[in-house]
Amino acid sequence: MTFTSRLRVIFRSKASHTLDRLEDPREALDDSYEQLVAMLQQVRRGLADVATAKKRLELQGQEMGARHRRLGDQAQEALTQGREDLARTALERRSLLEGQVASLRDQYTALQQQQERLQANERRLADRVAAFRTEKETIKATYAASEAQARANEAAAGIGSEMSDVGVTLDRAKDRVAQMKARAAATDELLASGALNDLTAPPDDDLERQLSSGATRADVERQLQAMKDAAAGGTPSGSTGGATGATAGGTAGGAAGNGPDGWLSIGRGPAAG
């Protein structure tokens, strides 16, 4: 795999992870829940504003009611004192005040009805927010469990983007190992043939290596010939001693003794008589 191909695989993997996070339904549910909570807070603020305005009208109506009673008392007191003109003035002001109270009462009634509607909306929205929160957490838990199960199944089956990356990395490592083994074997052959010089070897080491190889081949040929002579079993009487000696030498050189220290005799010739 080339460097560009590796970069392409890495980029696709990172981009896929980023898109998965952006498309995570859990985040979408959290966003929707936050929007509902913001709407509920807005309704509650409106309800508080309406209740405040209603309270102000209520206080103003109480003041008007107190003035209305005071004007009635003043009109009665003026008649008692024989001041009909003052009584008339007090009654005229009380009549004007009654019109203002009627208008204020209409506003107060409208605010009271608006407050009742906002309270009903607030209760419904609060119930909806609570139900959505429960459903949201249930969906998120189900999604998390399903995601974990899917990842476990993908890992067990060897599929999925993560396992694909692992597979690519493993194949690349195997290629590198095979390439290095081939290079090591090739350089060994070149050193053995003398095409490459081992700078760390002592002088004339190539000659020693070739002589040792020749001696090994000669020893193998002698043991092979001894095994052939022993298998033939029909050697002439004049050469019986030589064949026996060759067979004994091959046996001594190719097999170990039966004792626990028999391995010490591997590759050694027959003991001197």
Side-chain angles (χ1 to χ4, degrees):
M1 178 180 290
T2 63
F3 180 73
T4 304
S5 299
R6 291 177 58 201
L7 284 180
R8 190 179 298 112
V9 170
I10 295 174
F11 177 77
R12 282 201 300 264
S13 176
K14 300 299 183 183
S16 178
H17 292 327
T18 303
L19 289 176
D20 288 341
R21 287 195 296 269
L22 292 176
E23 297 176 355
D24 193 338
R26 293 170 294 186
E27 295 185 1
L29 289 172
D30 289 335
D31 292 340
S32 299
Y33 177 73
E34 291 177 359
Q35 293 177 5
L36 286 176
V37 171
M39 291 174 59
L40 180 60
Q41 292 176 350
Q42 184 176 2
V43 170
R44 287 175 175 172
R45 284 195 296 267
L47 181 60
D49 293 340
V50 170
T52 301
K54 177 186 170 186
K55 190 63 176 178
R56 291 180 59 184
L57 291 181
E58 183 179 351
L59 295 175
Q60 187 175 357
Q62 291 175 359
E63 293 179 357
M64 288 182 175
R67 183 185 176 194
H68 185 272
R69 289 190 298 272
R70 186 170 58 253
L71 288 174
D73 295 339
Q74 288 176 350
Q76 186 64 38
E77 181 67 21
L79 287 177
T80 302
Q81 296 179 9
R83 298 290 305 272
E84 186 176 344
D85 55 335
L86 293 178
R88 186 178 289 107
T89 301
L91 292 176
E92 289 175 354
R93 292 181 180 180
R94 192 176 70 168
S95 177
L96 181 62
L97 183 61
E98 288 176 354
Q100 295 176 356
V101 169
S103 176
L104 185 65
R105 185 170 51 248
D106 292 339
Q107 296 178 21
Y108 181 83
T109 302
L111 286 178
Q112 186 174 7
Q113 294 174 353
Q114 185 177 4
Q115 181 180 356
E116 292 175 354
R117 289 193 298 269
L118 285 175
Q119 287 176 344
N121 292 335
E122 190 273 339
R123 285 193 298 269
R124 286 194 297 267
L125 187 56
D127 293 340
R128 181 181 177 187
V129 170
F132 184 84
R133 182 178 184 276
T134 302
E135 186 176 4
K136 172 179 73 74
E137 295 300 327
T138 303
I139 294 175
K140 288 174 62 177
T142 304
Y143 180 85
S146 301
E147 183 182 28
Q149 182 179 0
R151 289 183 180 276
N153 293 339
E154 290 176 357
I159 59 178
S161 58
E162 293 83 357
M163 296 305 298
S164 177
D165 296 340
V166 171
V168 171
T169 303
L170 182 61
D171 292 340
R172 183 171 177 273
K174 289 180 178 179
D175 292 341
R176 292 292 301 274
V177 170
Q179 180 182 358
M180 194 58 63
K181 289 175 64 177
R183 185 178 180 86
T187 52
D188 283 343
E189 293 179 359
L190 291 175
L191 286 173
S193 64
L196 291 179
N197 295 326
D198 188 359
L199 300 180
T200 62
D204 303 325
D205 183 67
D206 57 337
L207 296 177
E208 293 291 337
R209 189 166 53 248
Q210 295 182 29
L211 291 174
S212 176
S213 178
T216 300
R217 286 195 299 270
D219 183 65
V220 169
E221 292 297 329
R222 283 195 299 271
Q223 294 185 36
L224 181 61
Q225 186 61 43
M227 293 174 65
K228 289 180 179 180
D229 294 341
T235 55
S237 57
S239 59
T240 302
T244 304
T247 303
T251 303
N258 294 328
D261 296 332
W263 63 275
L264 296 172
S265 64
I266 295 177
R268 298 177 61 180

